[in-house]
C-alpha cells in the first residue's frame, strides 16, 4: 500500500539510513526498487503509422525477489527480477504504475496516454 500513502508517511521518509559511523551494524534487509520502464510524467501514444495501442514496459532496477505490478491500483502482472514484459494501454488517460517486491520495497510513477491523432 505504500505507493498510495501520503509521501511523508512512506517508509523511506520515516526511517533514516544508518549513519556511516555505524559500519558494525548488519545490513538492512531490502534494497530500493526503481521503475525504469516509463519516466515519471511521461506522455505516451501509438506511433502515427500504427493502429495498435501503446505498450508499457514493466521493468525496474533493484528490489528483492518477484515484482508485483499494479496499474491504477489493480494488479496487472507478477515478474521475476530479471524479467521484462510489455503491457498494452488501450485507453487514453492518466495512469499510476506501482511495483512492490517480496521484501516490501515499492516505487510508483504517474504518466499519461494520449489518443493517436
Amino acid at each position: 500500500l505504500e505507493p498510495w500513502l501520503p509521501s511523508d508517511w512512506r517508509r523511506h521518509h520515516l526511517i533514516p539510513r544508518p549513519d556511516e559511523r555505524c559500519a558494525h551494524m548488519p545490513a538492512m534487509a531490502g534494497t530500493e526498487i526503481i521503475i525504469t520502464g516509463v519516466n515519471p510524467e511521461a506522455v505516451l501514444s501509438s506511433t502515427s503509422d500504427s493502429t495498435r495501442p501503446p505498450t508499457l514496459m514493466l521493468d525496474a532496477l533493484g528490489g528483492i525477489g518477484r515484482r508485483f505490478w499494479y496499474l491504477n491500483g489493480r494488479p496487472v502482472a507478477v515478474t521475476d527480477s530479471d524479467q521484462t514484459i510489455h503491457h498494452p494501454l488501450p485507453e487514453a488517460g492518466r495512469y499510476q504504475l506501482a511495483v512492490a517486491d517480496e521484501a516490501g520495497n515499492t516505487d510508483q510513477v504517474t504518466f499519461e496516454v494520449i489518443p493517436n491523432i
Side-chain angles (χ1 to χ4, degrees), residues 7 9 23 43 50-51 60 66 94 100 102-103 108-109 111:
S7 64
W9 290 9
V43 177
S50 175
T51 58
R66 291 179 301 164
R94 295 219 18 107
E102 290 183 306
Q108 65 91 26
V109 295
F111 63 95

Side-chain angles (χ1 to χ4, degrees), residues 36-38 44 52-59 69 71 76-79 83-90 97:
T36 60
V38 62
L44 307 175
R52 294 182 307 170
T55 60
L56 178 64
M57 185 171 66
L58 303 181
D59 196 16
W69 296 93
L71 193 59
V76 293
V78 178
T79 61
Q83 183 181 14
T84 299
I85 62 172
H86 294 270
H87 182 76
L89 297 167
L97 176 67

Side-chain angles (χ1 to χ4, degrees), residues 11 27 93 107:
R11 181 177 15 180
D107 190 24

